[in-house]
Amino acid sequence: MHKKILIPVALDHAPLVSRKIEAARHMLAPGGTITLLTVLEQIGGFVAEFVTVKPENHLSARVLEKLRQAAGDAADIDCKVITGKPGVQITKYAKDAGVDMIIVGSHSPGQEDYHLGSTASRVVRRAHCSVYVLR
C-alpha cells in the first residue's frame, strides 16, 4: 500500500482521470493522499514578447478548477498545477513531495512514440519511486 500517490493529468487525456483515481484507491494506504498534477509548458521567450498575459486569461486557474472537478469532494485528493517540461517536472515534484507511487496513463505505443518519446516513458525512466502505467 502507498501513502502518497501522484496522478499526472494531461489536458488531452482528461477522460482517463477517473480510471487513474480508481486504480489509486485500490493501492492507497489508509490515511494516504492522492495528488492530481498538471504540468503546463512555459511559453518560449520568442513568443512571450508578443503575448499579453492577463490574470483572467491565465490557464493555471482554469486547469486547477478542472482538476478539482475531477477530484470531486474527496478530502484525500489534492490538486496542483506547475509549469515546465512534464517528463522532468512530474518526477521532480514526486521526489520533492515524497511520493511513493506515480500512476501515468499511456496509449498503445506506436511508431510516433518511438521517435518523439512520450511523457509516460520519460516518467518511467526518471522516477525514483514505483510507476504504474494505465493503458
Side-chain angles (χ1 to χ4, degrees):
M1 300 301 259
H2 302 280
K3 289 289 223 180
K4 290 186 175 184
I5 297 178
L6 178 64
I7 301 176
V9 178
L11 297 175
D12 56 340
H13 294 138
L16 190 56
V17 176
S18 60
R19 286 188 49 221
K20 289 181 184 180
I21 292 173
E22 183 181 335
R25 292 254 179 251
H26 290 296
M27 296 182 262
L28 190 64
T33 58
I34 298 169
T35 301
L36 301 181
L37 174 74
T38 293
V39 181
L40 299 175
E41 295 218 29
Q42 295 173 321
I43 297 174
F46 60 92
V47 174
E49 68 181 72
F50 299 106
V51 178
T52 303
V53 178
K54 298 178 184 174
E56 65 271 14
N57 292 336
H58 197 55
L59 187 57
S60 294
R62 293 189 302 209
V63 171
L64 187 57
E65 182 55 34
K66 292 285 187 191
L67 292 177
R68 288 182 178 142
Q69 288 173 3
D73 294 332
D76 61 347
I77 298 180
D78 191 22
C79 301
K80 302 278 185 192
V81 177
I82 60 175
T83 58
K85 297 280 186 193
V88 173
Q89 292 303 316
I90 291 167
T91 55
K92 182 182 181 318
Y93 179 90
K95 188 172 185 178
D96 292 348
V99 167
D100 55 357
M101 167 68 81
I102 302 172
I103 299 178
V104 295
S106 179
H107 49 74
S108 298
Q111 188 69 16
E112 67 278 1
D113 290 324
Y114 180 76
H115 292 294
L116 299 175
S118 70
T119 299
S121 65
R122 288 183 184 106
V123 169
V124 168
R125 284 193 311 268
R126 293 183 172 140
H128 75 287
C129 62
S130 298
V131 179
Y132 182 83
V133 180
L134 184 66
R135 291 209 183 267

